[in-house]
Amino acid sequence: MRRTPTLGSGAGRSRRSRRYGRSGAVAMAALVAVTGSTYLGDGGRTAAGSAPHTANAAGTAQDPNIPFVCQERRPQPADPNAYGMQLDGSFLDPASTPLDEENPHPFPGRRADYDDRQYVKNMNVEAAYEGYDFTPDFFHTWQNIVDFGGRRYMFQYDRSEGRVYDITDVKHVTVVERMSREDVGGDELKANGTWAAGDYWGASTIQWNKRLNAYVMVQSFEDKRQISELTDEPGHDKYGNPEGVAKLRAKPGLKGFKVYRLDGPRKADWRLISTVSTDSTQPNPLDSDPGKAQQGSGSLDVPYWDGGKYMFIAVAPNDTFANTEYPTNLHSAGYQSYDMSDPTRPKLLDTWHLPGQVTGEEEAYAKNPRCGNRTSWLGARMSLFVPKPVEQGGRYGFAVQGGLGMTILDISDPARMRQVGHVDLPPSVAGTEGDNIDVSQYEKTGMIYLSGYPLTEDCYEPYKPIYQIDARDVANPRIVGRLPRPTPPKSAGITDYCQRRGSFGPKRTGYYTNPGRHDDGTLVYGFYNAGAQVFDVKNPARPEIEAYFVPKAFGTKTKDWPTEDGAFPEWAMGNQTHGVYVEWDRNVVWVLTNHGIYALSSKDVLGKPNLGKPKEPFRNSGF
């Protein structure tokens, strides 16, 4: 029997039709009382006459936490004559587009077929591993590294699909364990030999904890973003489908995070030591019932924790954190801080959000030019980006919240997070406007690097630049430049990556959990159909692309893909390099693609690689 694709967290892409084809709100006063949130509306006031709508256009009863604040102004399809290839070989991006992740958008000059070649500059391919064992999900995976018994292991996973690899010998990686729900059709409410009912592998941070003298993994449990109840199509999105919204609200499951002690690299070595609900309506967050529906988003993406006292997560703590235009997302996340002195009993310290994110703050929400576009993601996706841990004297956390822009928070007292600076982002609709901040260079140069990422193929949306932000004056951060747009080599036969097919634009520079200390002046970004791009930012005024590796667009070697005939599925070809993970202590770059994993080195850029046993075991992030 051939495998059918399972549905991951959707931290990357949805491709709903292709993948499916194959196989009560609390009042604001109560909110403040229960969560301890700092209400940041205008002087503590809500807008007069700004209560949310309670019915859709057809008069159907509507969920009170769906933001019918501004008149609908969804982007119209782009005029095909108003964007595309220019006479100088560059690509003119469309000004704005509606969400349309499912369909190709060919234009004159675009390749007819996906590219089966690879392109390399200043990098060496040390090893390549292709096939289903190295592709838990076609669209997005998370990674972590742990060291046990003198061996180095990589985790690669997306909810129910997970793999554990022994990567001690970079050239001879072996699969140690496979985790899956294939036998129950990917249904997270069903138990099988790997997972208990309702359990899965959420985006995680793993750090060494001195109190327990062991690795501790904090694992996010969040809303599923790839869902059948809602789509981005008008009439079936959250604005026109109250039945779908009600079904999502009623789904059981933990909204929050779990904490595990790791005594080895395999799942049998995990020991659950605490379960925390972030639903602010729960009487006891350490003892909630995941068999019932819980409110809010849960902990999103990778929590920030260095193994010490303080942790920060992105979260919407209940269903009133609702003001976002994105048509299938019910929550607009802010941030929470936790005391992790005792990992068996995490303690909530503070909750923070921007004005306009919560039901009742419509006056502030309406000021955003994206209000009414039924397209933009408004709210956090990742946790705070922290260049220096609070325990080491760090003071600031950087928050990017999609179309809400970037905020600098003073976190020197995590129990009283406060805003000290903010910068709005130029609208870039559709796609994710603000997702990731690389803070690795901040302590040296005062620069941070902020990016969103594309959601459509064939560049059918504005390009997502990597913004250089000067944050030396935290009260007045400024956009001062953009990193260069990658361009293909002459051997590719095209002049812009938009012509290569698939998605083009930045994803992330890995995670702060990468082992070793980040190199000064070097940023490695996953760039979808442009592979892994290495930027030299030693001189912020003159950033350059100094190396790259662009793999082929699809798998060819194996016949074990989850399709009826085992061939690589055409519907997965567009989401190519969706991740990078750098071992700074071994100078090895792992590139995560839709068809497998590549191990890269660059002696001239990163330094001489160590392709064998690490000199020191990874314990805590180097920052």
Side-chain angles (χ1 to χ4, degrees):
M1 178 182 295
R2 280 293 165 193
R3 304 176 181 92
T4 55
T6 55
L7 297 182
S9 69
R13 316 296 292 279
S14 69
R15 301 293 190 270
R16 293 184 192 90
S17 63
R18 301 186 203 179
R19 303 184 86 181
Y20 279 99
R22 298 176 182 261
S23 38
V26 294
M28 178 57 66
L31 168 68
V32 176
V34 173
T35 68
S37 299
T38 302
Y39 175 54
L40 298 177
D42 296 335
R45 302 185 303 275
T46 55
S50 62
H53 294 273
T54 58
N56 61 12
T60 308
Q62 186 62 259
D63 187 295
N65 290 308
I66 301 299
F68 287 92
V69 178
C70 299
Q71 181 177 355
E72 179 178 338
R73 40 184 177 166
R74 197 183 308 253
Q76 296 301 305
D79 180 347
N81 296 316
Y83 73 97
M85 296 304 300
Q86 305 296 286
L87 295 177
D88 63 358
S90 65
F91 183 85
L92 175 64
D93 306 299
S96 67
T97 54
L99 283 175
D100 187 1
E101 301 179 39
E102 308 301 332
N103 301 300
H105 294 275
F107 55 85
R110 191 206 71 170
R111 288 178 56 97
D113 301 314
Y114 285 97
D115 194 351
D116 62 358
R117 296 172 295 172
Q118 69 180 32
Y119 310 102
V120 186
K121 175 184 176 181
N122 289 343
M123 305 195 88
N124 296 315
V125 180
E126 301 291 351
Y129 303 96
E130 189 175 330
Y132 187 67
D133 272 344
F134 297 94
T135 315
D137 187 88
F138 290 111
F139 302 100
H140 179 79
T141 57
W142 304 101
Q143 302 81 41
N144 297 97
I145 277 180
V146 294
D147 287 305
F148 285 101
R151 309 295 295 179
R152 174 155 287 188
Y153 300 90
M154 177 186 283
F155 297 153
Q156 187 189 21
Y157 55 95
D158 186 31
R159 295 182 80 106
S160 295
E161 292 293 319
R163 309 287 186 269
V164 178
Y165 311 115
D166 185 330
I167 62 168
T168 310
D169 182 345
V170 171
K171 290 184 175 291
H172 297 91
V173 169
T174 59
V175 181
V176 173
E177 185 166 20
R178 303 168 180 85
M179 307 175 195
S180 182
R181 264 199 174 91
E182 291 177 1
D183 58 327
V184 292
D187 188 343
E188 291 178 354
L189 298 181
K190 293 181 179 179
N192 68 350
T194 302
W195 302 103
D199 205 11
Y200 55 85
W201 197 341
S204 303
T205 182
I206 301 174
Q207 303 287 333
W208 190 263
N209 181 255
K210 292 181 179 179
R211 175 174 179 148
L212 299 182
N213 195 34
Y215 283 118
V216 172
M217 172 167 63
V218 182
Q219 194 179 106
S220 289
F221 275 67
E222 61 172 290
D223 278 340
K224 197 175 211 176
R225 300 181 204 163
Q226 296 175 343
I227 52 178
S228 59
E229 291 82 4
L230 301 174
T231 71
D232 54 25
E233 299 172 359
H236 198 256
D237 60 15
K238 69 182 181 183
Y239 299 99
N241 182 11
E243 293 82 5
V245 172
K247 288 179 180 179
L248 286 180
R249 300 279 196 216
K251 279 190 172 182
L254 174 68
K255 302 289 184 65
F257 58 91
K258 292 185 178 182
V259 185
Y260 294 87
R261 172 180 173 141
L262 302 187
D263 294 320
R266 296 168 178 81
K267 188 172 184 294
D269 302 318
W270 301 0
R271 183 161 66 87
L272 182 64
I273 59 176
S274 61
T275 299
V276 181
S277 174
T278 54
D279 174 0
S280 63
T281 70
Q282 296 290 320
N284 183 357
L286 297 177
D287 187 24
S288 66
D289 183 358
K292 296 180 180 179
Q294 297 189 7
Q295 286 200 32
S297 65
S299 175
L300 300 178
D301 290 355
V302 178
Y304 170 84
W305 183 52
D306 69 342
K309 185 174 181 179
Y310 299 114
M311 180 175 76
F312 302 91
I313 64 172
V315 60
N318 58 60
D319 289 347
T320 67
F321 280 67
N323 288 342
T324 178
E325 292 294 313
Y326 202 79
T328 61
N329 179 34
L330 301 182
H331 299 106
S332 179
Y335 301 92
Q336 287 184 335
S337 54
Y338 280 81
D339 184 334
M340 292 288 286
S341 299
D342 180 358
T344 69
R345 297 189 64 81
K347 179 182 177 182
L348 175 63
L349 296 175
D350 194 20
T351 301
W352 179 91
H353 71 280
L354 275 172
Q357 289 191 258
V358 175
T359 299
E361 299 177 0
E362 281 69 40
E363 183 176 25
Y365 184 69
K367 293 178 181 178
N368 192 303
R370 299 159 182 83
C371 184
N373 73 12
R374 309 296 192 257
T375 304
S376 291
W377 185 285
L378 303 175
R381 297 174 67 91
M382 300 283 286
S383 184
L384 293 180
F385 296 87
V386 181
K388 189 176 184 180
V390 173
E391 296 92 327
Q392 298 178 20
R395 185 172 180 179
Y396 301 113
F398 295 87
V400 59
Q401 296 180 281
L404 296 180
M406 191 278 292
T407 303
I408 302 177
L409 300 180
D410 185 331
I411 58 171
S412 56
D413 180 358
R416 293 174 177 82
M417 297 184 289
R418 63 184 183 89
Q419 177 178 334
V420 294
H422 181 86
V423 62
D424 289 322
L425 300 177
S428 179
V429 180
T432 303
E433 295 174 87
D435 168 72
N436 185 74
I437 301 177
D438 188 291
V439 295
S440 64
Q441 311 303 307
Y442 178 69
E443 292 292 308
K444 187 175 180 64
T445 68
M447 293 289 176
I448 61 174
Y449 297 85
L450 185 153
S451 57
Y453 63 81
L455 287 176
T456 60
E457 296 186 11
D458 300 328
C459 296
Y460 188 66
E461 64 182 74
Y463 175 66
K464 299 299 178 283
I466 302 170
Y467 291 110
Q468 296 174 280
I469 297 179
D470 184 342
R472 289 174 292 182
D473 178 358
V474 294
N476 295 286
R478 298 185 303 116
I479 297 175
V480 293
R482 300 181 178 192
L483 293 189
R485 175 178 175 133
T487 55
K490 291 183 179 180
S491 60
I494 54 177
T495 56
D496 192 276
Y497 277 112
C498 289
Q499 298 172 275
R500 196 173 187 247
R501 298 204 61 173
S503 294
F504 169 56
K507 181 58 175 174
R508 294 168 181 160
T509 50
Y511 307 98
Y512 74 93
T513 57
N514 300 28
R517 186 174 293 276
H518 201 296
D519 287 357
D520 289 339
T522 301
L523 304 179
V524 186
Y525 277 89
F527 235 90
Y528 290 111
N529 73 2
Q533 297 282 327
V534 183
F535 294 86
D536 179 350
V537 294
K538 295 180 183 66
N539 180 356
R542 299 188 63 182
E544 298 177 346
I545 296 173
E546 58 182 344
Y548 57 72
F549 168 71
V550 182
K552 60 187 179 182
F554 55 91
T556 53
K557 290 183 179 179
T558 68
K559 289 292 183 181
D560 67 342
W561 304 109
T563 53
E564 292 182 1
D565 62 357
F568 192 82
E570 184 277 336
W571 46 266
M573 292 182 182
N575 205 59
Q576 295 161 28
T577 297
H578 52 249
V580 294
Y581 196 84
V582 184
E583 291 185 73
W584 295 103
D585 61 346
R586 291 203 295 178
N587 295 327
V588 174
V589 178
W590 297 92
V591 176
L592 297 309
T593 78
N594 60 350
H595 60 273
I597 301 174
Y598 296 83
L600 309 176
S601 67
S602 180
K603 182 179 179 180
D604 293 338
V605 177
L606 300 175
K608 183 179 178 180
N610 172 14
L611 304 180
K613 181 179 177 180
K615 295 179 180 179
E616 300 285 342
F618 165 65
R619 290 293 183 251
N620 298 93
S621 299
F623 305 99

